[in-house]
Amino acid sequence: MGRYLFALFLVVPIVEIAIFVAMGGLIGFWWTMGGVVFTAILGSYLLRLQGFAVWADVQGKLRVGQFPGQSIVDGIMLAIAGALLLTPGFFTDAVGFALFVPQVRYFIFEQLRLRVDVVQASSFTNYTSQDTKQPNSSIRDDDGVIDLEDDDWRGKS
């Protein structure tokens, strides 16, 4: 994994510089800089639109008791897309704009699902029986009220 990241941090800036030089020679320096600024503004706008849509989808799924796995991954990919679009360069902009396409995000999500095991855990714990024979144990009455002794909830000095 470290080799891939090293290669990524080495290759991407070289590709960006090559594209800047080629675009500058083709359309001129100021048009190239204008294109970089334009893609950053357009990316921010798209991020805002799709980000709110994904957030509403997460809330809707949580409201009905579903796990919003796809929506969470969509949100993470949109955040990555926004970071790539704010990074100056046409290559990173192309990757960032690709992440705005829902089919691309779905494909990446499916590839991740094949490689990642998802474990669901519940924070709900059901206490069905308690040993009331032990000293200082909690006692639950029929109404669900737990009666604690002083030593059970106060710090001992």
Side-chain angles (χ1 to χ4, degrees), residues 4 14 20 27 33 38 42 50 62 65 82 87 108 112 119-120 124 137 143-144 152 157:
Y4 294 122
I14 292 171
F20 273 130
I27 62 174
M33 291 299 110
F38 175 73
L42 180 62
Q50 289 196 11
L62 287 174
T87 303
I108 293 171
L112 288 172
V119 178
Q120 292 182 337
F124 176 74
S137 63
D143 294 331
D152 291 337
S157 8

Side-chain angles (χ1 to χ4, degrees), residues 29-48:
F29 173 78
W30 291 111
W31 284 107
T32 302
M33 291 299 110
V36 169
V37 172
F38 175 73
T39 57
I41 292 170
L42 180 62
S44 298
Y45 176 72
L46 289 174
L47 179 63
R48 181 179 178 151

Side-chain angles (χ1 to χ4, degrees), residues 9-19:
F9 284 116
L10 182 66
V11 171
V12 170
I14 292 171
V15 170
E16 291 289 6
I17 291 169
I19 293 173

Side-chain angles (χ1 to χ4, degrees), residues 14-122:
I14 292 171
V15 170
E16 291 289 6
I17 291 169
I19 293 173
F20 273 130
V21 170
M23 291 295 287
L26 187 64
I27 62 174
F29 173 78
W30 291 111
W31 284 107
T32 302
M33 291 299 110
V36 169
V37 172
F38 175 73
T39 57
I41 292 170
L42 180 62
S44 298
Y45 176 72
L46 289 174
L47 179 63
R48 181 179 178 151
L49 285 179
Q50 289 196 11
F52 282 131
V54 167
W55 180 252
D57 188 48
V58 167
Q59 287 181 330
K61 286 183 179 178
L62 287 174
R63 198 173 300 119
V64 295
Q66 295 177 345
F67 180 71
Q70 171 76 45
S71 301
I72 290 171
V73 173
D74 280 349
I76 292 169
M77 283 192 255
L78 286 174
I80 292 169
L84 289 173
L85 287 167
L86 292 176
T87 303
F90 292 107
F91 178 72
T92 54
D93 289 348
V95 174
F97 280 123
L99 289 175
F100 279 115
V101 178
Q103 291 82 3
V104 172
R105 292 195 311 261
Y106 180 75
F107 175 77
I108 293 171
F109 177 74
E110 288 301 317
Q111 294 303 310
L112 288 172
R113 267 185 30 176
L114 294 174
R115 292 171 175 76
V116 175
D117 290 328
V118 176
V119 178
Q120 292 182 337
S122 175

Side-chain angles (χ1 to χ4, degrees), residues 136 138 146-156:
N136 297 329
S138 302
I146 298 173
D147 187 20
L148 299 175
E149 300 295 327
D150 285 342
D151 293 336
D152 291 337
W153 62 279
R154 288 193 178 143
K156 297 182 182 183

